[in-house]
């Protein structure tokens, strides 16, 4: 009987361990751009955004899109299907869901640190629920922040979120150490992060742009594909 109980206990422990490992696995995505490769991980904590992004990758909806909005020391934005060249528009291909994705704010666990991947969206005046665009997203560059700067940014955040979002000491320390865009916390959904290729992001963010922050020379996502874990 003792041996049987020990055997059953071992099975339970191994099953729990396997489940824990499964829960912590994050889907990786390779973003091949005209300036180099970027690898991102999608957070399981934001399942609606994760599954939406995976569906668009599988459908090839990101292939060929421009980095159409680039702001130095802030972020690089892409994912607008209208920026694809004509030969990649595939008019006969069934569309993956292009409806907005409900917000999934997971602050302070997920925040706008440097390298964060977050969803773009329409403004509060037309989108009070702060729902995310189905395809457009940005990668945070930002910059390191002093305590004085974070105090002032906190005032902006409090006003925008009715005091619901407060920068914790841990989050403040990270913004001071690696940087980011803290003023967006609690207002845009962070759903992933850069694992490698941040140097490519850095190179894109310093591209010369026009008055609309569009690079003068096209920078494109050539292809995205899922990476097997």
């Amino acid at each position: 009987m003792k041996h049987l109980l020990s055997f059953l206990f071992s099975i339970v422990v191994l099953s729990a361990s396997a489940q824990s490992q499964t829960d912590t696995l994050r889907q990786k995505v390779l973003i091949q751009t005209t300036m180099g490769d970027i690898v991102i991980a999608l957070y399981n904590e934001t399942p609606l955004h994760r599954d939406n992004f995976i569906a668009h990758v599988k459908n090839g909806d990101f292939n060929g899109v421009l980095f159409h909005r680039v702001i130095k020391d802030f972020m690089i934005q892409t994912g607008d299907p209208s920026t694809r060249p004509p030969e990649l528009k595939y008019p006969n291909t069934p569309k993956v869901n292009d409806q907005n994705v409900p917000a999934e704010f997971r602050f302070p666990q997920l925040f706008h640190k440097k390298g964060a991947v977050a969803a773009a969206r329409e403004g509060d005046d037309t989108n009070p629920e702060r729902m995310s665009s189905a395809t457009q997203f940005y990668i945070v560059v930002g910059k390191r922040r002093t305590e004085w700067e974070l105090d002032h940014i906190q005032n902006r955040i409090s006003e925008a979120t009715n005091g619901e979002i407060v920068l914790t000491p841990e989050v403040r320390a990270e913004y001071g150490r690696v940087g980011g865009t803290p003023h967006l916390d609690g207002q845009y959904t962070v759903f992933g992060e850069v694992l490698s290729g941040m140097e490519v992001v850095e190179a894109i963010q310093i591209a010369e742009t026009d008055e609309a922050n569009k690079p003068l020379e096209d920078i494109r996502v050539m292809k995205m594909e899922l990476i097997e874990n």
Side-chain angles (χ1 to χ4, degrees):
M1 185 67 175
K2 268 186 172 182
H3 291 299
L4 177 60
L5 289 175
S6 177
F7 176 70
L8 291 174
F9 178 75
S10 298
I11 291 177
V12 170
V13 170
L14 288 172
S15 296
S17 176
Q19 183 62 50
S20 176
Q21 290 176 5
T22 300
D23 290 345
T24 57
L25 285 177
R26 289 173 169 170
Q27 177 62 63
K28 298 174 185 177
V29 180
L30 170 63
I31 305 175
Q32 297 177 314
T33 82
T34 50
M35 293 188 67
D37 292 349
I38 304 166
V39 175
I40 66 172
L42 305 178
Y43 293 143
N44 296 324
E45 296 87 341
T46 51
L48 298 178
H49 285 73
R50 177 199 62 203
D51 294 349
N52 173 74
F53 198 86
I54 289 172
H56 284 292
V57 170
K58 287 181 175 179
N59 203 52
D61 296 327
F62 294 119
N63 299 346
V65 295
L66 286 175
F67 284 92
H68 63 277
R69 186 165 177 255
V70 169
I71 303 177
K72 186 178 182 297
D73 294 329
F74 182 29
M75 59 88 224
I76 61 173
Q77 184 172 335
T78 186
D80 182 355
S82 71
T83 65
R84 300 173 77 187
E87 65 271 18
L88 287 179
K89 287 190 177 174
Y90 303 124
N92 298 320
T93 301
K95 270 187 160 183
V96 172
N97 177 33
D98 60 358
Q99 300 300 308
N100 288 341
V101 182
E104 292 181 292
F105 303 140
R106 299 292 182 262
F107 184 88
Q109 181 182 10
L110 308 178
F111 56 98
H112 282 80
K113 65 183 178 181
K114 184 175 182 177
V117 179
R121 66 174 178 83
E122 297 294 331
D124 289 359
D125 52 341
T126 59
N127 180 28
E129 298 88 0
R130 294 174 171 169
M131 298 179 72
S132 300
S133 163
T135 58
Q136 292 198 43
F137 67 96
Y138 57 93
I139 300 176
V140 173
V141 180
K143 57 184 179 181
R144 288 185 287 183
R145 305 288 181 164
T146 65
E147 286 296 317
W148 180 85
E149 287 177 312
L150 289 171
D151 287 341
H152 284 267
I153 290 170
Q154 178 63 70
N155 292 334
R156 290 177 59 187
I157 295 173
S158 296
E159 183 178 350
T161 65
N162 295 318
E164 293 180 3
I165 301 298
V166 177
L167 301 175
T168 65
E170 294 79 12
V171 169
R172 291 173 71 103
E174 193 72 358
Y175 279 134
R177 187 179 71 85
V178 302
T181 56
H183 64 284
L184 300 179
D185 285 335
Q187 301 160 74
Y188 294 79
T189 296
V190 174
F191 66 93
E193 65 179 83
V194 172
L195 296 180
S196 65
M198 197 62 202
E199 71 280 0
V200 177
V201 177
E202 295 274 11
I204 294 173
Q205 63 110 17
I206 61 173
E208 189 176 358
T209 59
D210 61 20
E211 293 180 355
N213 299 311
K214 180 179 178 294
L216 297 181
E217 294 187 13
D218 287 352
I219 304 172
R220 292 189 183 274
V221 173
M222 296 186 294
K223 184 180 181 182
M224 280 197 205
E225 57 186 30
L226 303 179
I227 298 175
E228 294 295 330
N229 286 312

